[in-house]
């Protein structure tokens, strides 16, 4: 990947939201993994009263470390390093538990719940905070449910609407047209004020949509590590991803219909991934998907031109 004064040359805000953009909790899972590994402070938070319908996104109550019961409200919080641009030097015992690399001190995070209303005002508030922090690029993480098998590598699509970013990172532009979520709104607002953006989307098997997908979290982190030029410790994610796959295998072993369906998905995926697969064959596979899944149901946005469109990748 390119360096210098390009997309990787400044402060990068990595963004994920619970809700429509977060199948298998993969996107927020990836950002929360980064949050655990980085020494970051809260630098901005939205007022939930302005943006959330509490009957749709209900607050939760739990006990804190002191045993006191506290209510947690839906919202969105931005985190940033104490000393931007300076990568922390891990202690010897923590060397495997912290993000490293020349870009590690330039990572900011934004994580929260997709707002229920006032998206334009929400985007303006987020962009004001990003500009105040001198953020120079935004990376949006998303995950959608798709007709893909859990036994194969998680499909990842990287895109950008910014010509300079596409040229620098050799990525594509999404051709998706249709309903979008808050990621597309924020991306459009960022590009309008001069902050370049890119999107990284993971495809999560739709037949396991009720459970978190550590395999998709791992796939997003793998691609994010490559894009933003840092080394991200995987912790227990590798073993958790293997256990997730093993657990689904066990379920399928007791369900002939599910096993047959997964076998069909595997065959379709292997056909698309084979060296002999032509552009026409690949296009045909995803045209079939569009006809079946183009309504954006089940918490995903659909695919376009053989690419996960989701919340407007890019």
């Amino acid at each position: 990947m390119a360096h210098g004064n390009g997309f990787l040359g400044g402060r990068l805000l990595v963004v994920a939201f619970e809700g429509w953009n977060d199948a298998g909790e993969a996107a927020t899972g990836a950002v929360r993994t980064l949050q655990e590994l980085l020494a970051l402070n809260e630098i901005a938070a939205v007022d939930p009263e302005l943006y959330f319908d509490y009957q749709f996104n209900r607050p939760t109550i739990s006990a804190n470390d002191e045993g006191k019961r506290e209510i947690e409200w839906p919202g969105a919080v931005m985190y940033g390093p104490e000393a931007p641009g300076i990568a922390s030097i891990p202690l010897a015992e923590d060397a495997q538990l912290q993000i490293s690399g020349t870009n590690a001190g330039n990572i900011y995070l934004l994580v929260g719940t997709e707002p229920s209303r006032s998206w334009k005002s929400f985007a303006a508030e987020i962009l004001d905070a990003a500009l105040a922090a001198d953020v120079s690029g935004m990376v949006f993480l998303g995950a959608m449910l798709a007709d893909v098998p859990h036994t194969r590598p998680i499909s990842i699509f990287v895109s950008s609407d910014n010509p300079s970013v596409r040229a620098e990172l050799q990525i594509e532009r999404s051709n998706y047209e249709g309903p979008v979520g808050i990621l597309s709104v924020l991306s459009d607002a960022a590009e309008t004020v001069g902050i370049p953006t890119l999107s990284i989307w993971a495809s999560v098997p739709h037949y396991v949509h009720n459970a978190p997908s550590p395999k998709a979290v791992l796939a997003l982190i793998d691609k994010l590590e490559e894009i933003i030029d840092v080394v991200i410790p995987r912790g227990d994610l590798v073993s958790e991803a293997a256990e997730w796959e093993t657990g689904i295998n066990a379920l399928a072993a007791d369900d002939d219909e599910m096993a047959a369906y997964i076998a069909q998905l595997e065959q379709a995926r292997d056909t698309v991934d084979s060296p002999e697969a032509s552009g026409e064959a690949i296009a045909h596979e995803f045209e079939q998907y569009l006809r079946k899944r183009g309504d954006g149901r089940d918490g995903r946005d659909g695919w376009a031109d053989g690419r996960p469109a989701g919340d407007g990748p890019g």
Side-chain angles (χ1 to χ4, degrees):
M1 294 298 176
H3 299 271
N5 296 321
F7 187 78
L8 296 178
R11 302 178 184 181
L12 300 177
L13 177 61
V14 183
V15 181
F17 283 91
E18 298 172 0
W20 205 48
N21 319 283
D22 193 30
E25 301 175 16
T28 52
V31 170
R32 295 193 193 283
T33 297
L34 297 183
Q35 185 181 353
E36 293 173 358
L37 297 170
L38 288 164
L40 302 179
N41 298 321
E42 179 179 320
I43 58 176
V46 302
D47 181 353
E49 294 289 320
L50 300 177
Y51 304 115
F52 294 93
D53 178 347
Y54 297 141
Q55 289 185 318
F56 183 71
N57 297 117
R58 291 186 178 274
T60 59
I61 190 167
S62 59
N64 62 19
D65 293 338
E66 289 76 37
K68 180 181 177 181
R69 287 163 62 80
E70 294 181 337
I71 292 179
E72 182 177 353
W73 300 88
V77 180
M78 185 182 298
Y79 301 90
E82 289 186 14
I86 301 176
S88 61
I89 301 175
L91 300 174
E93 61 269 23
D94 295 330
Q96 302 303 315
L97 302 176
Q98 288 186 268
I99 292 176
S100 59
T102 57
N103 224 28
N106 290 322
I107 300 174
Y108 291 67
L109 303 177
L110 172 64
V111 64
T113 303
E114 184 176 62
S116 306
R117 54 177 174 263
S118 304
W119 282 16
K120 291 181 180 179
S121 297
F122 180 87
E125 184 171 342
I126 294 298
L127 267 295
D128 283 346
L131 290 169
D134 290 329
V135 166
S136 59
M138 296 178 70
V139 180
F140 296 98
L141 302 186
M144 63 182 174
L145 299 175
D147 289 334
V148 294
H150 71 282
T151 52
R152 300 295 185 266
I154 295 291
S155 297
I156 295 290
F157 181 64
V158 184
S159 68
S160 176
D161 280 338
N162 188 288
S164 297
V165 174
R166 292 200 302 272
E168 178 186 350
L169 302 181
Q170 296 297 298
I171 57 179
E172 300 178 59
R173 182 178 188 176
S174 172
N175 294 319
Y176 173 73
E177 295 180 350
V180 297
I182 193 61
L183 296 186
S184 284
V185 174
L186 282 173
S187 178
D188 181 72
E191 292 285 351
T192 299
V193 299
I195 300 178
T197 67
L198 68 80
S199 297
I200 306 174
W201 278 80
S203 297
V204 178
H206 71 87
Y207 52 87
V208 288
H209 67 278
N210 289 325
S213 176
K215 188 172 181 178
V217 173
L218 185 62
L220 283 172
I221 287 178
D222 286 345
K223 180 56 68 173
L224 185 64
E225 180 181 77
E226 175 188 341
I227 291 288
I228 67 177
D229 192 29
V230 296
V231 177
I232 304 173
R234 302 305 193 270
D236 296 328
L237 271 176
V238 175
S239 59
E240 289 172 358
E243 291 170 4
W244 175 83
E245 186 169 332
T246 300
I248 301 171
N249 289 340
L251 289 175
D254 295 329
D255 187 330
D256 292 341
E257 185 176 349
M258 181 180 182
Y261 177 64
I262 292 172
Q264 290 177 357
L265 294 179
E266 290 172 336
Q267 183 178 11
R269 174 66 180 271
D270 293 344
T271 297
V272 170
D273 288 346
S274 68
E276 297 81 13
S278 66
E280 287 187 10
I282 295 172
H284 178 68
E285 288 286 341
F286 290 113
E287 283 172 4
Q288 288 184 316
Y289 179 89
L290 277 175
R291 284 194 292 271
K292 292 188 295 180
R293 303 289 180 178
D295 57 1
R297 67 182 184 273
D298 294 334
R300 66 186 180 281
D301 295 351
W303 291 63
D305 294 319
R307 305 174 181 85
D311 198 9

